[in-house]
Amino acid sequence: MMKTTAPTPPVAKKVPTTRTHHGDAFTDNYEWLREKEDPAVRAHLEAEQAYTDEVTAGQEPLRQAIFKEIKNRTQETDLSVPTRKDGWWYYTRTEEGKAYGVHCRVQAADTGNSVQDWTPPLIEAGQAVPGEQILLDSNAEAEGKPFFSLGGATVTKDGRLYAYGQDNSGDELFTVRVKDLHNDTLLDDVIENVFYGLVFAPDGSRLFYMLADESWRPYQVKSHVLGTPTSTDEVLYQEDDVAMWTGFELSADHRSLVISIGCSEFSETRYLQLAAPEKGLQMVIPRTEKILYDAEPFLLDGVEKILLTHNKDAVNSMISLLDTVQLGSPVADQRWATVLGHDDGVKVNGATVTATHLVLSIRSDTIERVQVIELPGLGTAGQADAVEPAFDEELYTTSMSGSDYEAPVIRLGYTSYLTPPRMYDFVLPLTAAGTAGRSGELLLRKESPVLGGYSASAYVAEREWAQATDGTQVPLSVIRRADLARDGSQAGVVYGYGSYEVSMDPGFSIARLSLLDRGIVFVVAHIRGGGEMGRHWYEQGKKTAKKNTFTDFIAATDWLAASGWVDRTRIAALGGSAGGLLMGAVANLAPEKYAAVVAQVPFVDALTTILDPDLPLSALEWEEWGNPITDAEVYHYMKGYTPYENIRPVAYPRIAAVTSFNDTRVLYVEPAKWVQALRDVSAGSEPIVLKIEMDGGHGGASGRYEGWKARAWDYAFLADALGATELTGPVPA
C-alpha cells in the first residue's frame, strides 16, 4: 500500500522589520507581503491557493452538493417587486443561468384610485412584459470582464436619463456613464473613480457624485453639469479631517441636497436648497457641538423645518423638530420640539418623512421595527400616536425599503430566520377618511420563493441568553431543525460580528439550510460592540472595552457547549471583516473550544493598519478602536488582543482565512501574514489555509453563482471539520 504524505504549505521568507510605538517594539517577519506589485508576493499567494486546493480537495464533493442545494432551492428566474417612481414602475429580474440582474421599467397608470395606482403590476417571472424597457442588462455589461459590480444608479425625474456606476476590478471605485433612455444611447459624459452614490438634480441638468481620497475615504461631493468636461466639475464640499466620513443624498421631498459628515461619535450636516443654490450650503449643527445626529429638511404646514434624529441628552437617540430660522444660533439657545422622547429601552435608528407621515426606524427588544406618525400636529401636544404594523414572529426584522414621497403607502421589507424575504406595502393610516378604506392595512406584495418543498415548521428559531464573564446577559439566536435530538451529540456553529454598532438582525438564508440539514445547530451571538441592545451595548464593546466582544463570543460558545444540543468537541466559529478580527481573537484566547474557524476577509492585523493613517480607512477607525498613534493606553490595550500580535504556541484548530486580492477595506496582506505566523507558531497539526480570490473585492468574486460557490466552500470547510457532512433530512432534488 502506497504511503501518502500530507501537502506541504508554502513558507514565506522572513524579512524582519521592527515597529516601535510608545516604548514597545514588535518585530514583523512578513510585512513584505504588503508589496502588491512584487511578483514574489503574487507567486506566494498563488502557492497558498494551490496548497489550499490540495488540502481541501476531499471537500469538493461536499462543496458541489451544497452549491447544488443552494441552486435547487433558489428560483433563478425571478424579479423584484416593482417600485413606483415618477410615473414608472422599476424592477430587477434575474434569469436562470445568468449571474447578474437585468434592470427594467414599465409605465405606470394614474386612475385616481390612490391604492390601486400604487399597487405593483403583476409581472410573471420568465414571461414577456408588454412595454418593458431595459435600463441595464448587467450580464451584458459584465461579459468578458473579470469582475462586475454596480455602485449606484439614478434616473432623472422626467425619466429620460439613467446614470450608473460599474466596478470591474473589485476595488469599489466606479466608472459612471449616462444613458439616454429615449434612444438607448450613451452620452459622452464619463466620470472615473467615483465612490458609492449617484443623484440627479430634480431638473436633470446635473449629476451629484462622491470621490474618495487615496486612503479610500469618501471626502469630496462634486457636481457634474451634463455635456461639460469633468475637469470643470464643481466641488460642492470637501472634508479634510481624515477621521470623518462624508455622504450625501436628496432629501425625501427632493427639495434639498443633504451632505452628512461624521464619525461614530459626532456629526455635522449641511444642505443645499436646490431651488435656491445662491444660498449655498447651510449648516444645521456644527460638529463642535459633539452631537451625533441625522437631519431631514422638509416643509411642515408650509414652514421649513429640520427633522433631527440626535443623541443630545439621549444616549439611545430621540426625534426633535428644529425651525430653520434658528439655524446659526448656539444650540443652547435653540428651541427644539420633541417628537419622540428618549427611552432607555428603545434605540432610535432614524427617521424620514412622506407627504403625510413621519416614518420611524426603532429597535426594541433587539428587534428592528417601523412606526409611522401623521404629520399634522407633529411636535405639539396634538401629535398623533405612533402606529406600528404587527407581525406574528418573535424574532424578525422589518425595515422601510423605499417609497415615493407622495405615495399613500410605504414599502416594507420583512424577514426572519424561518421566513424568506417578504415585501409589504403598508397603507399609511389617516385619521380622516382616506385611502379607499384601507388605512393601516398591510398588503403582502411578495414572498421570495424557496423551492424543493421548504417548510418553516421543519426548523426552530429561539432566543437564548449566555452569561458573560462580568455577569452581562448576552442574547443569542439559536436556529436548528425541529426534529434534532437534544442528546449532546450534534455539531454547532457560532457566528458573530460585534463592531461599529452593526446589528446581526434575523434574516433568512437559503445557504444556511445546508448546515441545518446536516444536523448543525447555528447560533448567532449578539455580542457587545453591535447595536442589538442599544447604544450602551455598542459602547461596551469598543475602544478600551473591546475585549468584551471576544469574551461575549466565548460565553456564547460555552452556552452552546452546555446546552445539551451539541458535543463540545464539535463546535466551529464563523465571522467576517471585523468579525474576522473576532475570529482571530477567540482563536488565540480559547483555541481548545473550536474544531474549526472560518475567518472571512479578516481584520486580523488591525494594529498595524490603524497605526498607518495612509492605509485605507485607517484614520476612520480611531473612533471605533481608539488612536494607538497618540494614546499609549490604546496602543497597549490593542496590542493585548489583536490577533497577529498574540499568536502563541498552542494547538490551534483547523483555520481558513478567506480573502480577495483587490479588497480595499481589509487588505489581503492581513490574512496572508496571519496564516504564515499561525503556521510558524502553532503546536497543533490541523491545517491552516489561505483561500484568496485574485479577481475579487471585499465581498469576494462577483455574480450570484460565484457567491454561492464561495458560501459552499466556507460551509463545506466547517461541516467537514465538524464531521457533519451527511444530510439528516430531505433536500430539494
Side-chain angles (χ1 to χ4, degrees):
M1 182 175 175
M2 184 178 292
K3 185 177 180 180
T4 60
T5 59
T8 302
V11 178
K13 64 182 179 181
K14 293 182 179 181
V15 183
T17 58
T18 301
R19 183 192 74 203
T20 303
H21 288 272
H22 305 292
D24 176 75
F26 173 72
T27 299
D28 188 341
N29 290 320
Y30 303 112
E31 179 63 13
W32 70 272
L33 289 171
R34 190 178 301 278
E35 299 302 320
K36 190 174 183 179
E37 304 305 319
D38 185 345
V41 171
R42 178 176 279 271
H44 173 75
L45 296 177
E46 290 172 348
E48 285 281 15
Q49 185 59 52
Y51 171 70
T52 298
D53 290 342
E54 190 175 3
V55 167
T56 64
Q59 298 167 23
E60 181 60 21
L62 181 56
R63 289 197 288 263
Q64 291 292 338
I66 294 175
F67 174 82
K68 183 179 178 181
E69 290 159 21
I70 297 170
K71 188 174 186 293
N72 288 350
R73 281 180 165 128
T74 303
Q75 182 167 302
E76 295 186 62
T77 299
D78 202 1
L79 72 157
S80 63
V81 180
T83 298
R84 180 165 175 159
K85 182 179 184 295
D86 298 324
W88 293 86
W89 288 103
Y90 291 88
Y91 56 96
T92 299
R93 54 180 171 82
T94 55
E95 299 176 14
E96 184 173 359
K98 294 186 177 181
Y100 302 94
V102 181
H103 306 277
C104 312
R105 71 178 182 180
V106 293
Q107 196 85 44
D110 291 303
T111 67
N113 182 312
S114 58
V115 172
Q116 180 177 314
D117 288 347
W118 288 90
T119 299
L122 292 176
I123 301 173
E124 297 294 334
Q127 301 296 315
V129 181
E132 179 183 85
Q133 181 178 18
I134 294 177
L135 308 178
L136 189 74
D137 183 344
S138 296
N139 299 287
E141 294 290 324
E143 189 171 353
K145 300 180 176 71
F147 183 91
F148 176 82
S149 176
L150 278 180
T154 183
V155 183
T156 52
K157 187 172 179 59
D158 64 8
R160 177 161 189 158
L161 300 179
Y162 175 76
Y164 62 96
Q166 64 173 285
D167 167 21
N168 295 129
S169 69
D171 63 2
E172 297 182 84
L173 295 176
F174 303 88
T175 298
V176 173
R177 293 179 172 86
V178 181
K179 180 186 286 191
D180 187 328
L181 297 176
H182 284 193
N183 55 29
D184 199 34
T185 60
L186 291 174
L187 305 187
D188 292 335
D189 305 75
V190 177
I191 313 173
E192 301 284 358
N193 297 317
V194 173
F195 196 70
Y196 290 99
L198 294 171
V199 168
F200 274 116
D203 65 2
S205 64
R206 289 183 292 165
L207 182 64
F208 302 110
Y209 64 94
M210 175 76 73
L211 293 182
D213 63 14
E214 292 181 355
S215 66
W216 202 77
R217 176 184 66 96
Y219 81 116
Q220 199 175 71
V221 180
K222 301 189 77 170
S223 170
H224 173 69
V225 177
L226 296 180
T228 66
T230 56
S231 60
T232 63
D233 289 357
E234 178 186 4
V235 177
L236 294 178
Y237 180 77
Q238 178 169 311
E239 176 54 52
D240 293 323
D241 187 335
V242 296
M244 300 293 274
W245 186 283
T246 305
F248 72 92
E249 61 183 355
L250 287 183
S251 60
D253 60 11
H254 288 194
R255 297 172 56 254
S256 302
L257 182 74
V258 182
I259 298 175
S260 303
I261 310 104
C263 60
S264 65
E265 298 185 345
F266 57 88
S267 57
E268 179 175 282
T269 298
R270 304 172 187 226
Y271 72 103
L272 177 69
Q273 291 180 313
L274 295 172
E278 68 280 359
K279 293 183 178 180
L281 288 174
Q282 301 178 70
M283 175 79 72
V284 180
I285 302 169
R287 68 190 72 182
T288 52
E289 295 283 356
K290 301 297 182 182
I291 298 172
L292 187 64
Y293 72 98
D294 292 321
E296 178 76 56
F298 74 113
L299 289 176
L300 180 62
D301 297 327
V303 178
E304 186 85 24
K305 300 280 189 179
I306 304 287
L307 184 72
L308 294 174
T309 304
H310 65 91
N311 70 346
K312 181 178 180 291
D313 303 321
V315 68
N316 270 340
S317 296
M318 60 183 290
I319 308 289
S320 299
L321 273 181
L322 169 65
D323 196 310
T324 56
V325 298
Q326 299 184 73
L327 295 181
S329 301
V331 167
D333 297 335
Q334 295 177 1
R335 302 287 183 181
W336 297 3
T338 298
V339 173
L340 182 69
H342 180 256
D343 186 331
D344 281 332
V346 177
K347 175 68 169 65
V348 181
N349 294 327
T352 188
V353 292
T354 72
T356 58
H357 286 73
L358 167 69
V359 184
L360 299 168
S361 171
I362 66 168
R363 184 178 300 279
S364 177
D365 299 324
T366 78
I367 301 301
E368 188 175 359
R369 309 165 187 269
V370 172
Q371 296 181 341
V372 298
I373 302 173
E374 289 185 73
L375 289 184
L378 198 68
T380 71
Q383 176 179 305
D385 293 333
V387 176
E388 180 178 321
F391 301 99
D392 57 7
E393 292 184 271
E394 177 191 9
L395 305 178
Y396 67 89
T397 301
T398 185
S399 58
M400 187 170 172
S401 185
S403 183
D404 191 277
Y405 178 71
E406 299 291 344
V409 300
I410 57 171
R411 177 68 50 82
L412 298 179
Y414 176 91
T415 186
S416 77
Y417 294 117
L418 307 182
T419 303
R422 293 175 177 171
M423 282 294 173
Y424 289 97
D425 278 341
F426 181 57
V427 183
L428 292 168
L430 297 170
T431 52
T435 351
R438 308 184 76 170
S439 178
E441 192 172 350
L442 200 57
L443 307 173
L444 178 63
R445 298 308 191 192
K446 181 178 181 177
E447 178 173 310
S448 296
V450 181
L451 306 183
Y454 169 76
S455 173
S457 63
Y459 305 89
V460 175
E462 299 172 313
R463 169 56 42 82
E464 300 287 355
W465 299 85
Q467 182 166 306
T469 52
D470 62 0
T472 299
Q473 294 295 305
V474 179
L476 312 176
S477 295
V478 182
I479 311 108
R480 57 177 173 81
R481 280 187 65 102
D483 59 3
L484 209 62
R486 194 168 187 171
D487 61 3
S489 69
Q490 315 301 339
V493 170
V494 186
Y495 171 80
Y497 186 76
S499 292
Y500 304 107
E501 203 176 359
V502 173
S503 298
M504 296 295 101
D505 289 323
F508 188 77
S509 167
I510 283 179
R512 188 171 57 225
L513 296 176
S514 292
L515 292 182
L516 301 179
D517 287 341
R518 286 171 171 80
I520 293 173
V521 179
F522 196 95
V523 176
V524 180
H526 304 286
I527 50 185
R528 281 176 284 185
E532 289 91 337
M533 301 283 282
R535 182 73 180 186
H536 286 305
W537 199 249
Y538 168 52
E539 292 175 342
Q540 290 170 21
K542 67 181 293 194
K543 292 190 174 178
T544 53
K546 188 63 200 171
K547 291 179 183 179
N548 285 334
T549 303
F550 316 135
T551 54
D552 282 2
F553 189 89
I554 293 171
T557 305
D558 290 341
W559 176 90
L560 180 60
S563 68
W565 288 109
V566 307
D567 177 345
R568 64 177 59 245
T569 67
R570 300 180 69 202
I571 298 175
L574 172 66
S577 199
L581 183 154
L582 168 68
M583 294 299 98
V586 300
N588 287 335
L589 290 169
E592 73 284 356
K593 296 182 186 290
Y594 304 99
V597 173
V598 170
Q600 302 158 320
V601 289
F603 192 32
V604 283
D605 192 20
L607 189 52
T608 300
T609 295
I610 297 172
L611 283 168
D612 186 348
D614 293 329
L615 290 176
L617 302 181
S618 293
L620 295 169
E621 300 288 359
W622 296 338
E623 296 301 330
E624 179 73 17
W625 316 93
N627 186 344
I629 299 173
T630 60
D631 191 324
E633 180 187 3
V634 168
Y635 174 87
H636 290 290
Y637 186 82
M638 290 190 70
K639 180 79 180 300
Y641 70 71
T642 42
Y644 187 54
E645 286 88 351
N646 287 281
I647 296 169
R648 53 198 181 97
V650 296
Y652 280 92
R654 193 176 307 187
I655 293 176
V658 182
T659 189
S660 295
F661 191 53
N662 292 322
D663 192 340
T664 52
R665 302 194 194 196
V666 179
L667 301 184
Y668 73 89
V669 67
E670 297 202 24
K673 290 167 57 176
W674 181 54
V675 163
Q676 280 296 308
L678 280 168
R679 290 198 199 116
D680 194 40
V681 174
S682 178
S685 59
E686 291 291 343
I688 297 169
V689 301
L690 178 72
K691 178 179 181 288
I692 183 164
E693 173 59 58
M694 297 304 288
D695 291 316
H698 194 60
S702 62
R704 57 177 174 165
Y705 298 111
E706 292 303 314
W708 297 347
K709 290 176 183 176
R711 186 55 52 88
W713 195 98
D714 295 349
Y715 283 4
F717 186 91
L718 292 171
D720 180 70
L722 296 174
T725 60
E726 300 299 321
L727 293 166
T728 63
V731 297

